[in-house]
Every structure is written in structure tokens, then in C-alpha cells.
Amino acid sequence: MGGSLNIVTLVAWTAFFVVFSYAVCGIPFGLVVAKAMGNIDVRSTGSGNIGTTNVARSVGKGAAALTLLLDLGKGLVCMLFSRFMISLLVLGEAGFSGSLATGEGLVAMTVIFLACVMGHIFSPYLHFRGGKGIAVGFGAALGLWWPIGLGLLVVFTVFAVPSRYVSLGSIAAACSLPIQCALRGFPVEGVLVVAVAAIVVVWSHRSNIEKLVRGEERKFTFHKKEDEGALKPVPETNETHVCEDDSEPAHELSDGSQDPEAPEDMTDSASEVDLTVDTEISRPRGAHFAAEPPNETEVNDTVKAADDSVDGDDE
């Protein structure tokens, strides 16, 4: 073909690589990695998302790094492979033809870029549910035109790092995508295509937007082991604790045990009578008790003595 662009052939092969890229980028690497490295289904933990952020929170740094690499890599590989093959099959040029960097060729590449993002967000392997399209979008943007990818990274870093809100950086980067493409001379059709991709990415962050508005969005943190931060058991001690000023005074028996029948309104006053519940317990010093009534024998003796004295007076 000598580098001439056949529109019909371009459309046909673009459609093929759209399907190819959608299928490849739909692979849920976050789910696979979390299962393999942590035996965790990230769809049932954290935010329920299969992306890098939720893997980091649910499994850890290593799993998150691998997920990021695979998600970014699938977007980049699909874009580079599609560009190479379209250059070869449509233009008859081995390598990356410059014709795919302008005009209809560049529009075709933006459509494949859109397929990469859509495959990740609407994975055909997860009933058309998936991630939020940031890592795969960054990788695909590098394959579309590397300055665009670097521009997205800069915007993401500026917003995400100071705030520690990954969602804020992701939304800002997505919103900047069509602007950057327009500023770098993309055809209007190409700008519109990437604008659709940006809108879908922002839409996938709708719950994050609501949380950001309410101030409830979680800041980025890595997963910690279960034993880290776990509460240590308090050792049992036999120490006697003194009651604070605002607590009820303790009432103890002489053997140190708690008196279960002590009234709640009893206070520790020196003017009140100390109580005991067992006659076998010695009475505290300073306690006051009523005199015991005389027993029956003493009463009888007294009465008999009185009778005797009366009889003597009569004699």
C-alpha cells in the first residue's frame, strides 16, 4: 500500500482491535492477584472494587504493586500491539506508522483507547462490572501518545499526593484528558472519543464524589497485618483500686470481701453505725450496739429473790 490509508480497511481492523482490547483489558487482575496472594475476594471487602487502591487496603503493598503493573500493562500492551498491527495490516509498514498519529489514524487509536477503558470498567468476565479505569487508562494513554500519559500522571500526583485522596487525583486526571488532547492538536473526533472515556471514568467514581462532598472519603492507606494494632489483653492483678471521688464507696466485711447486702446510699461517715452480717465476725472498733436483753434465767432469779425478800418482811 506504500503508506496510503484505506478507510474501509482501517475501520475493519480498528473494529477487530476494539474487540480484542476490550476482552484483554476486561481481565480482572486485581481480583486474580488478591485471590492468589491473600486468598481474598476484593469484591466483598473494602470498597468492593477490583482496582489497585482496594487491593492495597485489603491485601497489601506487594499485591497492589502487581495489580497496578498488570492493569497499566494491559492498557499499554493493547495500544502498542494494535498500533503495530494496524500499521502492518492497513498501511503495509512494519513498526509504528506516523499516519496513525494524525487524522483518521489517530481517531482510530482513540477508539481503541476507549475500548481499553470500557473493558476494565465493564468487564465481560464479571457481569460487566469492574474497576474504575485509572491504571488501565494511564497505560493506554502512554500507548496512545506518551506525552498525554505523562500529563495525566502529573495531574493525578498534584491532586492525590497532598490530599491522600486517590479518587480526587483520579477524577482530576480524567477531567484533564480531553483538555490535554485538544491542546496537543488531536482531531475534534478524537477529542470527543476521549471525552467519552473521561465521562465514563468520572461516572465510575460517583460514589467517591458523594463521599468527598460529605467529607467521608477514606484517605489512602496500605493494608496492615491483623496482629498490628490489635488490643493487648490487660493482665489481671490483685491490686486494690481506690474509688474515685465520683463513685460509690466500697463496703467490705472484715475479711476483705464485698458486702452484697450493703445499701446503695450508705456512706463512709464516722458518725454512722458500722454494720455486720455475721455474728462470728468481730465487731469493728468504735461501733455502737444496743444492749442485749437479759435472758430468761436471769429474769427468773430476780423474781424469786424479790419474792423471798417479801416473805421475810412478813415474818
Side-chain angles (χ1 to χ4, degrees):
M1 292 184 188
S4 62
L5 191 61
N6 187 307
I7 299 300
V8 175
T9 307
L10 175 64
V11 171
W13 281 111
T14 299
F16 174 83
F17 286 107
V18 162
V19 175
F20 168 80
S21 299
Y22 178 83
V24 172
C25 291
I27 300 174
F29 283 119
L31 179 63
V32 174
V33 171
K35 271 285 188 182
M37 299 183 66
N39 196 27
I40 292 176
D41 187 343
V42 289
R43 295 173 297 178
S44 60
T45 184
S47 65
N49 190 264
I50 63 170
T52 302
T53 303
N54 196 39
V55 172
R57 288 170 175 163
S58 304
V59 184
K61 298 179 181 179
L66 182 57
T67 300
L68 176 62
L69 180 63
L70 292 173
D71 282 347
L72 187 153
K74 67 185 181 184
L76 176 61
V77 168
C78 283
M79 290 298 295
L80 293 180
F81 181 71
S82 299
R83 182 185 290 274
F84 179 86
M85 293 304 297
I86 289 176
S87 295
L88 180 64
L89 297 171
V90 177
L91 301 173
E93 299 178 7
F96 303 97
S97 174
S99 299
L100 297 181
T102 59
E104 293 84 357
L106 185 54
V107 173
M109 296 308 301
T110 60
V111 173
I112 296 174
F113 169 86
L114 176 61
C116 293
V117 174
M118 298 291 280
H120 184 77
I121 297 176
F122 304 103
S123 173
Y125 314 109
L126 299 176
H127 305 289
F128 300 100
R129 301 184 64 179
K132 298 187 177 181
I134 296 302
V136 69
F138 173 64
L142 287 174
L144 177 64
W145 195 29
W146 66 266
I148 298 295
L150 293 183
L152 294 177
L153 179 61
V154 170
V155 174
F156 174 84
T157 303
V158 168
F159 283 87
V161 172
S163 66
R164 288 177 57 200
Y165 290 125
V166 174
S167 58
L168 180 61
S170 302
I171 295 167
C175 292
S176 73
L177 175 60
I179 299 173
Q180 293 191 53
C181 291
L183 293 176
R184 294 190 177 276
F186 275 51
V188 175
E189 298 86 350
V191 174
L192 292 176
V193 172
V194 297
V196 172
I199 291 171
V200 173
V201 169
V202 173
W203 173 84
S204 70
H205 286 81
R206 60 194 181 280
S207 61
N208 302 93
I209 295 173
E210 294 175 358
K211 291 178 182 179
L212 286 169
V213 172
R214 296 196 303 261
E216 300 174 356
E217 179 72 334
R218 291 177 60 188
K219 293 188 176 182
F220 179 77
T221 55
F222 284 107
H223 170 75
K224 294 181 179 180
K225 296 180 179 179
E226 293 182 358
D227 55 351
E228 293 180 7
L231 295 178
K232 296 181 179 180
V234 179
E236 296 183 359
T237 61
N238 295 324
E239 297 179 3
T240 301
H241 298 279
V242 179
C243 295
E244 300 292 341
D245 294 339
D246 59 350
S247 62
E248 294 291 337
H251 303 285
E252 295 184 355
L253 302 179
S254 60
D255 62 353
S257 61
Q258 187 71 24
D259 183 0
E261 299 180 2
E264 294 181 357
D265 58 350
M266 181 178 290
T267 58
D268 237 353
S269 174
S271 63
E272 293 187 355
V273 178
D274 295 330
L275 300 180
T276 60
V277 295
D278 198 322
T279 57
E280 295 180 1
I281 300 176
S282 60
R283 297 171 183 172
R285 185 178 301 174
H288 304 282
F289 296 90
E292 295 181 358
N295 56 40
E296 186 176 353
T297 303
E298 292 177 348
V299 172
N300 293 334
D301 292 341
T302 303
V303 172
K304 183 178 180 182
D307 292 338
D308 292 340
S309 64
V310 170
D311 292 341
D313 291 339
D314 290 342
E315 291 175 356

